[in-house]
Amino acid sequence: MIPILDVSGLRVTRGSTHILRGVAWRVLPGEHWAILGANGSGKTSLLRALTGYLTPTSGRVTVLGEVYGESDWPELRRRIGIVSSALAGSIPPEETALETVISGRFAQLDLWVRVTRADRTAARRLLAAVGLGRLADRPWDLLSQGERQRVLIARALAARPELLILDEPCAGLDPVARDKFLAFVARLARRPRGPALVLVTHHVEEIIPAFSRVLLLRRGRVLAAGPRRQVLDSANLSATFGARLRLSRHGGHTRLLRR
């Protein structure tokens, strides 16, 4: 079985600063992972290394069977979908939801290629799948934050990725919008032949049951990695965030409390 991701001995050092320290992590087909850590723990740097935007100092990174430094990484990126609030700022305010989704098929921002009827039909189908079919012609700047996040998922899915990275997708969402968005992610995780999902967050309550495995990062190191039920406990989370915390589970929901 070829891993979706296989990282070993990953180190990233810039000057005297150690950003990632010997990270080892493997994602197998059929697994959905959450990466949890405090601000500055190395979450963003790990994502940038996985997508070829940050050159490792040492170690080995294999994504979808391709090895960093030995493969065409720009081409590989077409097989990886990314949903990030950082991307949202690069979308023209007047661009419609439909155009934003189509742009994902061509891995472009500010779409300029000639669009075919088939492109539009496929994009409308994806918008319907994320529950936004009625908003296809609405400009980006008139979409709510929750609607934008779902448009970005549809955009990422337009390229039929094998791996979908959700980089703090709930940032800026109110509690109701967040719950609706996470419910959609849960449905996405259940799709047959859907992409492997990696959720990056610093909120334990966003790690819904669909993410059966968790990677905990602290100061650039892997503190723990494995099945959700084994990794998410009060001791590990206290170490992850450097505070005395207690994990509370109730009705299928989890949250952290200060001791």
Side-chain angles (χ1 to χ4, degrees), residues 3-255:
I4 300 293
L5 295 171
D6 196 356
V7 179
S8 60
L10 178 62
R11 301 183 67 87
V12 175
T13 302
R14 294 294 182 267
S16 60
T17 302
H18 300 286
I19 301 171
L20 294 174
R21 305 165 182 251
V23 172
W25 179 37
R26 177 176 289 186
V27 176
L28 297 177
E31 294 180 347
H32 301 308
W33 282 75
I35 301 176
L36 182 70
N39 291 331
S41 62
K43 301 187 302 297
T44 298
S45 296
L46 177 56
L47 290 189
R48 293 185 65 203
L50 293 177
T51 49
Y53 291 107
L54 182 63
T55 302
T57 303
S58 61
R60 182 180 176 91
V61 178
T62 302
V63 181
L64 302 174
E66 303 288 343
V67 180
Y68 183 85
E70 301 176 8
S71 305
D72 184 349
W73 222 248
E75 183 61 30
L76 177 62
R77 289 191 194 115
R78 294 176 178 269
R79 300 165 61 192
I80 305 171
I82 300 179
V83 175
S84 169
S85 56
L87 179 65
S90 300
I91 295 176
E94 71 280 359
E95 185 173 274
T96 66
L98 186 71
E99 292 168 336
T100 298
V101 174
I102 293 172
S103 73
R105 184 171 182 179
F106 300 97
Q108 289 183 3
L109 291 171
D110 195 5
L111 185 67
W112 54 266
V113 300
R114 176 177 293 181
V115 176
T116 67
R117 180 179 297 179
D119 293 333
R120 293 183 179 278
T121 298
R124 289 186 184 277
R125 188 178 299 116
L126 285 168
L127 282 171
V130 300
L132 296 179
R134 71 191 186 286
L135 301 183
D137 298 320
R138 181 166 295 183
W140 179 257
D141 63 347
L142 297 182
L143 295 171
S144 71
Q145 184 70 10
E147 289 165 349
R148 289 180 178 183
Q149 294 297 71
R150 283 193 279 170
V151 168
L152 289 178
I153 284 188
R155 180 185 185 276
L157 294 175
R160 298 182 179 179
E162 298 166 60
L163 171 64
L164 179 59
I165 297 173
L166 306 173
D167 184 12
E168 299 191 11
C170 296
L173 298 185
D174 63 55
V176 173
R178 184 185 66 180
D179 287 349
K180 288 181 178 179
F181 180 81
L182 291 174
F184 166 74
V185 172
R187 294 194 297 272
L188 180 63
R190 294 193 296 267
R191 285 177 54 175
R193 298 180 299 278
L197 303 180
V198 172
L199 170 73
V200 180
T201 182
H202 52 261
H203 297 294
V204 68
E205 60 269 22
E206 294 175 5
I207 305 178
I208 56 177
F211 296 96
S212 60
R213 286 169 169 75
V214 177
L215 174 76
L216 299 181
L217 283 177
R218 175 169 169 77
R219 295 180 179 175
R221 297 184 186 275
V222 174
L223 189 144
R228 178 173 179 264
R229 280 283 179 177
Q230 295 178 17
V231 170
L232 285 186
D233 62 28
S234 299
N236 280 340
L237 292 169
S238 294
T240 297
F241 291 99
R244 289 175 56 82
L245 302 172
R246 178 172 62 86
L247 182 67
S248 171
R249 289 189 173 96
H250 180 72
H253 297 281
T254 58
R255 61 175 180 156

